[in-house]
Each structure stands twice: as structure tokens, then as C-alpha cells.
Amino acid sequence: MIRIPFNRPFATGNELDYVRTAVAAPKFSGDGPFTAECHRLLERSLGVQKALLTTSCTHALEMAALLLNLGPGDEVIVPAFTFPSALNAFVLRGARPVFVDVRPDTLNIDKAQIDQRISRHTKAIFLVHYAGIACEMEAIMPIARRHSIAVVEDNAHGLYARYQGRYLGTFGGLATLSFHETKNFTCGEGGALLINDAQFNERSEMLREKGTDRSRFFRGEVDKYTWVDVGSSYLPSDLLAAFLRAQLEHRDQIQSRRRQIWEAYARELASWAQANDVRLPSVPPECEQAYHMFYVIMPSFETRQALISYLAGFGILAVFHYLPLHLSPMGLRFGGRQGDCPVTEDLSDRLLRLPFFTGMSISEQNQVIDTVRAFRC
Ligand SMILES: *Cc1c(COP(=O)(O)O)cnc(C)c1O
């Protein structure tokens, strides 16, 4: 029986009030008043010039691939350790992934290996800020500029994290957020596209509205709307935006609780980790993290598996994370081979994520901590 789940979605208490208001409104579809409010909240809090809610982070990534006109013959640099959505986004358009290994300390794309994987076909880098801890943007942005390639930040883990004082999601021309129930802020399923390069403003609205200029029509800028581009239906219902508004308005409450949980794990597990040759997450000094997850790196695959089943025996659900993408059935079709990304291959086998969610009680966390501390590698 599961006593402590890996994740339990959190509601702030204001969600139903907003959803009730949304249900009383004459409009349930997308781009209503709650969507506009979420756009404003994200734009103002992050300082981005344009945010658009989407039905998921996956769809925001697909919009990015469309906006960058990625297609057959194009290559996109990706870390071998990320979520498949970032790759599907451009593979669906016919572009190919080029895998780069990650750093052993942060599990983020290794800047030192990007240059050598760039070819004349490279059009973009789709990176992820793993666990809401920033990639080395100070080095990566100049590499991208030098080669005229776009940077898309998959910031599903890192809303309100910073790098050198600046919010993640504000570095690349485009960035994406996820509001899936496993993320810090949620409406069940949802996402957003952040647009830092204003050349994408107008086209992003059309792609999101079935390739039509309906947004312009609603603003009264054109007197009829029609099919002007490719596109799909990437806008969420205003009912979901109502739910999300309550979450975004509780930024401080959500993030400070997650910070307490993260810091308690780090503090209470430090001596156990040292005694058992276990590594805890490292957060570089220029990074303010998002408190999205708490992972440990075990000494071996065997000890990782042993800790997962040991915790399961106490009803505590701990989980591993991404499998190396270059060795996945799809990755192999793009030429991935064992040994291409040794750090990813090694750490993916040894990483374990502990239960971590906003509504986790102190007693729940203490049970996890006490149980982990009794485990010997
Ligand atoms: C959760 C996640 C996604 C997918 O998010 P959805 O909103 O479920 O589409 C993409 N990338 C990363 C890094 C994620 O963690």
C-alpha cells in the first residue's frame, strides 16, 4: 500500500471560486478573461514581453518548432537526458536530434560539448533546466549567437528559478512552461509559451489559433478572419486558466513551502549521504533554483534499485527518472549508440527522486527521512 506518494497535486483553495466565476461567464473557450489574467501574471512576474497559455508544455514545444520553421535536413542539439516532448516537437516536423551529454554535477547539457556537435545543418538547441537548476546560459547563449542558432528553453521544471539573478525562460528566443499536475504550478494539464524575441509575436498567435488571424479579428484589427498559416489548436479553455490563476497568485506560498521541504531533505540527509557514498543535488552559486524535485545519486544501479524497493516496503514511492534518450528505441533510429553520452548513461542508472510535493506534511517528510537514513548501501 502506498502511504506516501511520489506526488500529490496541490490546490490553494481559491481554484473553485475562480472556476465558478468562469462557469458563470458567457465564454468557456480559450482566450477569455482568465487566460488574459494568466498572461499578465506571467509577463509581469517574469518580465517577458509575451506569454501564451497552451494546452501543455509539449504543445508549446511544438509551437516553438513551427515558429523556427524546423524541417527535413535540420539538426537540433538536445541533451541526452531530457523528456521526449522536446524531441517530438521537431522530429514531428522532420528534423533530427543531435545528442549531447550532460554535466555530472547538475545533469544539464554540457556546454563544453556543444560546439563540436554543431554542423552547418544545426538550427536550434532545445535545452532543459533540469530540476529547475539553470544551464550555463552565460556560455550557451554566445555559442548560439556565434553560429546563428536558436535557443529554446524547456523550463517545465524551473518557473521562478533564476540564473545570475535573471528568470529562467527569459534567455532563449522561446521558452516553455508546464502546468501538468506534477509541476510546481498546475491546472491538471497545461503549459505556456514564453516569447522573448518579438519577431515571433504575431505568428505565435496564429499557430495557436488553427493557423487563422482570429486573435487580430477579436482585437478589431481585421474585419474578418481567415486561414493565413499552418497551425493547430493550442489554446486551453478559460476554465483551466481560472484554475491556474489561483495557483499563479499563490507563488510565494507554493515556493516557500517547497523550499522548506527541499532544504529539510538536504539538511537531514547530509550525513547519511556522506556515510553511504551518496551524492545530493548540487546548486551552483549563480543559480537560484525552483525547488522542483529532490534527487539523490546512489553509488550504483543496484543500490538505487535496492533503495526503491526498500522504500516501497514502507509504502514510500520513490522513482527513477529519464532513460538515456540516445539509447531509446527512437534514439537508436537517429544513430544513438552505447557510450555516446557516458555521463547520462551512468547517472540515469543511479538517480532516484524522493517524494516531493507542495502539500507534503512535516510528518510525511520525517517518515521518508527516517526511513532513508536507516538504509545502508
Ligand atoms: C513535464 C515535462 C514536459 C511535458 O509537459 P506537459 O505539460 O505534460 O506536456 C516537458 N519537458 C519537461 C522537462 C517536463 O518535465
Side-chain angles (χ1 to χ4, degrees), residues 56-58 61 83 85 128 154 156-157 178 180 183 189-190 322:
S56 64
C57 180
T58 302
L61 288 159
F83 195 68
S85 288
V128 61
D154 176 351
H157 301 173
S178 174
H180 184 263
K183 305 299 166 28
E189 301 274 358
Y322 308 132

PDB file of all heavy atoms in Angstrom, residues 56-58 61 83 85 128 154 156-157 178 180 183 189-190 322, ligand 1:
ATOM      1  N   SER A  56      -0.464  22.330 -23.206  1.00  0.00           N
ATOM      2  CA  SER A  56       0.591  21.586 -22.499  1.00  0.00           C
ATOM      3  C   SER A  56       1.944  22.192 -22.838  1.00  0.00           C
ATOM      4  O   SER A  56       2.066  22.990 -23.772  1.00  0.00           O
ATOM      5  CB  SER A  56       0.588  20.105 -22.902  1.00  0.00           C
ATOM      6  OG  SER A  56       0.913  19.978 -24.272  1.00  0.00           O
ATOM      7  N   CYS A  57       2.947  21.773 -22.081  1.00  0.00           N
ATOM      8  CA  CYS A  57       4.321  22.149 -22.416  1.00  0.00           C
ATOM      9  C   CYS A  57       4.712  21.496 -23.739  1.00  0.00           C
ATOM     10  O   CYS A  57       5.396  22.098 -24.575  1.00  0.00           O
ATOM     11  CB  CYS A  57       5.253  21.684 -21.297  1.00  0.00           C
ATOM     12  SG  CYS A  57       6.981  22.062 -21.540  1.00  0.00           S
ATOM     13  N   THR A  58       4.252  20.263 -23.945  1.00  0.00           N
ATOM     14  CA  THR A  58       4.510  19.554 -25.201  1.00  0.00           C
ATOM     15  C   THR A  58       4.040  20.397 -26.387  1.00  0.00           C
ATOM     16  O   THR A  58       4.755  20.556 -27.378  1.00  0.00           O
ATOM     17  CB  THR A  58       3.771  18.196 -25.174  1.00  0.00           C
ATOM     18  OG1 THR A  58       4.232  17.463 -24.042  1.00  0.00           O
ATOM     19  CG2 THR A  58       4.000  17.410 -26.446  1.00  0.00           C
ATOM     20  N   LEU A  61       6.211  23.382 -26.988  1.00  0.00           N
ATOM     21  CA  LEU A  61       7.431  22.982 -27.684  1.00  0.00           C
ATOM     22  C   LEU A  61       7.145  22.768 -29.175  1.00  0.00           C
ATOM     23  O   LEU A  61       7.959  23.137 -30.038  1.00  0.00           O
ATOM     24  CB  LEU A  61       7.999  21.699 -27.060  1.00  0.00           C
ATOM     25  CG  LEU A  61       8.625  21.884 -25.666  1.00  0.00           C
ATOM     26  CD1 LEU A  61       8.694  20.556 -24.906  1.00  0.00           C
ATOM     27  CD2 LEU A  61      10.020  22.508 -25.777  1.00  0.00           C
ATOM     28  N   PHE A  83      13.112  15.083 -21.376  1.00  0.00           N
ATOM     29  CA  PHE A  83      11.812  14.473 -21.621  1.00  0.00           C
ATOM     30  C   PHE A  83      11.573  14.382 -23.130  1.00  0.00           C
ATOM     31  O   PHE A  83      11.930  15.310 -23.866  1.00  0.00           O
ATOM     32  CB  PHE A  83      10.739  15.347 -20.948  1.00  0.00           C
ATOM     33  CG  PHE A  83       9.410  14.687 -20.814  1.00  0.00           C
ATOM     34  CD1 PHE A  83       9.238  13.615 -19.959  1.00  0.00           C
ATOM     35  CD2 PHE A  83       8.325  15.126 -21.545  1.00  0.00           C
ATOM     36  CE1 PHE A  83       8.001  12.993 -19.830  1.00  0.00           C
ATOM     37  CE2 PHE A  83       7.088  14.516 -21.421  1.00  0.00           C
ATOM     38  CZ  PHE A  83       6.921  13.444 -20.561  1.00  0.00           C
ATOM     39  N   SER A  85       9.200  14.984 -25.066  1.00  0.00           N
ATOM     40  CA  SER A  85       8.414  16.034 -25.736  1.00  0.00           C
ATOM     41  C   SER A  85       9.285  17.036 -26.482  1.00  0.00           C
ATOM     42  O   SER A  85       8.913  17.515 -27.548  1.00  0.00           O
ATOM     43  CB  SER A  85       7.585  16.807 -24.716  1.00  0.00           C
ATOM     44  OG  SER A  85       6.532  16.009 -24.249  1.00  0.00           O
ATOM     45  N   VAL A 128      17.044  21.809 -21.451  1.00  0.00           N
ATOM     46  CA  VAL A 128      16.156  21.747 -20.286  1.00  0.00           C
ATOM     47  C   VAL A 128      16.963  22.166 -19.064  1.00  0.00           C
ATOM     48  O   VAL A 128      18.144  21.824 -18.940  1.00  0.00           O
ATOM     49  CB  VAL A 128      15.557  20.326 -20.113  1.00  0.00           C
ATOM     50  CG1 VAL A 128      16.629  19.272 -19.877  1.00  0.00           C
ATOM     51  CG2 VAL A 128      14.551  20.285 -18.949  1.00  0.00           C
ATOM     52  N   ASP A 154      13.320  24.565 -22.459  1.00  0.00           N
ATOM     53  CA  ASP A 154      12.225  23.791 -21.877  1.00  0.00           C
ATOM     54  C   ASP A 154      12.324  24.034 -20.373  1.00  0.00           C
ATOM     55  O   ASP A 154      13.157  23.449 -19.693  1.00  0.00           O
ATOM     56  CB  ASP A 154      12.380  22.309 -22.235  1.00  0.00           C
ATOM     57  CG  ASP A 154      11.311  21.440 -21.572  1.00  0.00           C
ATOM     58  OD1 ASP A 154      10.571  21.951 -20.710  1.00  0.00           O
ATOM     59  OD2 ASP A 154      11.240  20.242 -21.900  1.00  0.00           O
ATOM     60  N   ALA A 156      10.034  23.477 -18.020  1.00  0.00           N
ATOM     61  CA  ALA A 156       8.948  22.784 -17.307  1.00  0.00           C
ATOM     62  C   ALA A 156       9.231  22.652 -15.810  1.00  0.00           C
ATOM     63  O   ALA A 156       8.310  22.616 -15.002  1.00  0.00           O
ATOM     64  CB  ALA A 156       8.728  21.400 -17.923  1.00  0.00           C
ATOM     65  N   HIS A 157      10.513  22.571 -15.433  1.00  0.00           N
ATOM     66  CA  HIS A 157      10.847  22.403 -14.013  1.00  0.00           C
ATOM     67  C   HIS A 157      11.146  23.730 -13.313  1.00  0.00           C
ATOM     68  O   HIS A 157      11.207  23.754 -12.091  1.00  0.00           O
ATOM     69  CB  HIS A 157      12.128  21.557 -13.847  1.00  0.00           C
ATOM     70  CG  HIS A 157      12.037  20.186 -14.436  1.00  0.00           C
ATOM     71  ND1 HIS A 157      13.116  19.334 -14.503  1.00  0.00           N
ATOM     72  CD2 HIS A 157      10.995  19.521 -14.985  1.00  0.00           C
ATOM     73  CE1 HIS A 157      12.744  18.195 -15.064  1.00  0.00           C
ATOM     74  NE2 HIS A 157      11.472  18.289 -15.371  1.00  0.00           N
ATOM     75  N   SER A 178       5.363  24.102 -18.097  1.00  0.00           N
ATOM     76  CA  SER A 178       4.345  23.057 -17.967  1.00  0.00           C
ATOM     77  C   SER A 178       3.523  23.299 -16.708  1.00  0.00           C
ATOM     78  O   SER A 178       4.072  23.645 -15.659  1.00  0.00           O
ATOM     79  CB  SER A 178       4.993  21.674 -17.866  1.00  0.00           C
ATOM     80  OG  SER A 178       3.984  20.697 -17.600  1.00  0.00           O
ATOM     81  N   HIS A 180       1.365  20.736 -15.836  1.00  0.00           N
ATOM     82  CA  HIS A 180       0.935  19.366 -15.541  1.00  0.00           C
ATOM     83  C   HIS A 180       0.884  19.174 -14.017  1.00  0.00           C
ATOM     84  O   HIS A 180       1.580  19.885 -13.291  1.00  0.00           O
ATOM     85  CB  HIS A 180       1.942  18.398 -16.170  1.00  0.00           C
ATOM     86  CG  HIS A 180       1.567  16.960 -16.014  1.00  0.00           C
ATOM     87  ND1 HIS A 180       2.077  16.162 -15.019  1.00  0.00           N
ATOM     88  CD2 HIS A 180       0.710  16.198 -16.736  1.00  0.00           C
ATOM     89  CE1 HIS A 180       1.557  14.954 -15.124  1.00  0.00           C
ATOM     90  NE2 HIS A 180       0.724  14.946 -16.159  1.00  0.00           N
ATOM     91  N   LYS A 183       3.994  19.381 -11.716  1.00  0.00           N
ATOM     92  CA  LYS A 183       4.863  20.562 -11.692  1.00  0.00           C
ATOM     93  C   LYS A 183       4.500  21.485 -10.510  1.00  0.00           C
ATOM     94  O   LYS A 183       3.456  21.315  -9.885  1.00  0.00           O
ATOM     95  CB  LYS A 183       4.768  21.298 -13.034  1.00  0.00           C
ATOM     96  CG  LYS A 183       5.080  20.381 -14.239  1.00  0.00           C
ATOM     97  CD  LYS A 183       6.475  19.812 -14.197  1.00  0.00           C
ATOM     98  CE  LYS A 183       6.826  18.657 -15.105  1.00  0.00           C
ATOM     99  NZ  LYS A 183       6.261  18.371 -16.338  1.00  0.00           N
ATOM    100  N   GLU A 189      -3.566  19.730 -16.653  1.00  0.00           N
ATOM    101  CA  GLU A 189      -2.778  19.679 -17.890  1.00  0.00           C
ATOM    102  C   GLU A 189      -2.735  21.104 -18.425  1.00  0.00           C
ATOM    103  O   GLU A 189      -3.773  21.751 -18.537  1.00  0.00           O
ATOM    104  CB  GLU A 189      -3.441  18.787 -18.949  1.00  0.00           C
ATOM    105  CG  GLU A 189      -3.667  17.342 -18.541  1.00  0.00           C
ATOM    106  CD  GLU A 189      -2.465  16.438 -18.799  1.00  0.00           C
ATOM    107  OE1 GLU A 189      -1.439  16.913 -19.331  1.00  0.00           O
ATOM    108  OE2 GLU A 189      -2.569  15.235 -18.449  1.00  0.00           O
ATOM    109  N   GLY A 190      -1.558  21.567 -18.764  1.00  0.00           N
ATOM    110  CA  GLY A 190      -1.468  22.918 -19.323  1.00  0.00           C
ATOM    111  C   GLY A 190      -0.025  23.303 -19.526  1.00  0.00           C
ATOM    112  O   GLY A 190       0.891  22.588 -19.097  1.00  0.00           O
ATOM    113  N   TYR A 322      14.537  10.084 -16.273  1.00  0.00           N
ATOM    114  CA  TYR A 322      14.706   9.845 -17.706  1.00  0.00           C
ATOM    115  C   TYR A 322      15.694   8.715 -17.995  1.00  0.00           C
ATOM    116  O   TYR A 322      16.763   8.651 -17.396  1.00  0.00           O
ATOM    117  CB  TYR A 322      15.248  11.098 -18.403  1.00  0.00           C
ATOM    118  CG  TYR A 322      14.464  12.353 -18.120  1.00  0.00           C
ATOM    119  CD1 TYR A 322      15.127  13.528 -17.746  1.00  0.00           C
ATOM    120  CD2 TYR A 322      13.082  12.383 -18.232  1.00  0.00           C
ATOM    121  CE1 TYR A 322      14.424  14.690 -17.492  1.00  0.00           C
ATOM    122  CE2 TYR A 322      12.370  13.542 -17.978  1.00  0.00           C
ATOM    123  CZ  TYR A 322      13.049  14.684 -17.604  1.00  0.00           C
ATOM    124  OH  TYR A 322      12.353  15.834 -17.354  1.00  0.00           O
TER     125      TYR A 322
HETATM  126  C1  LIG B   1       6.590  17.634 -17.717  1.00  0.00           C
HETATM  127  C2  LIG B   1       7.604  17.957 -18.751  1.00  0.00           C
HETATM  128  C3  LIG B   1       7.266  18.159 -20.097  1.00  0.00           C
HETATM  129  C4  LIG B   1       5.890  17.910 -20.625  1.00  0.00           C
HETATM  130  O1  LIG B   1       4.941  18.711 -20.051  1.00  0.00           O
HETATM  131  P1  LIG B   1       3.413  18.571 -20.463  1.00  0.00           P
HETATM  132  O2  LIG B   1       2.817  19.846 -19.963  1.00  0.00           O
HETATM  133  O3  LIG B   1       2.905  17.352 -19.746  1.00  0.00           O
HETATM  134  O4  LIG B   1       3.345  18.434 -21.940  1.00  0.00           O
HETATM  135  C5  LIG B   1       8.243  18.548 -20.978  1.00  0.00           C
HETATM  136  N1  LIG B   1       9.511  18.720 -20.582  1.00  0.00           N
HETATM  137  C6  LIG B   1       9.884  18.502 -19.307  1.00  0.00           C
HETATM  138  C7  LIG B   1      11.304  18.739 -18.919  1.00  0.00           C
HETATM  139  C8  LIG B   1       8.950  18.106 -18.364  1.00  0.00           C
HETATM  140  O5  LIG B   1       9.332  17.867 -17.103  1.00  0.00           O
END
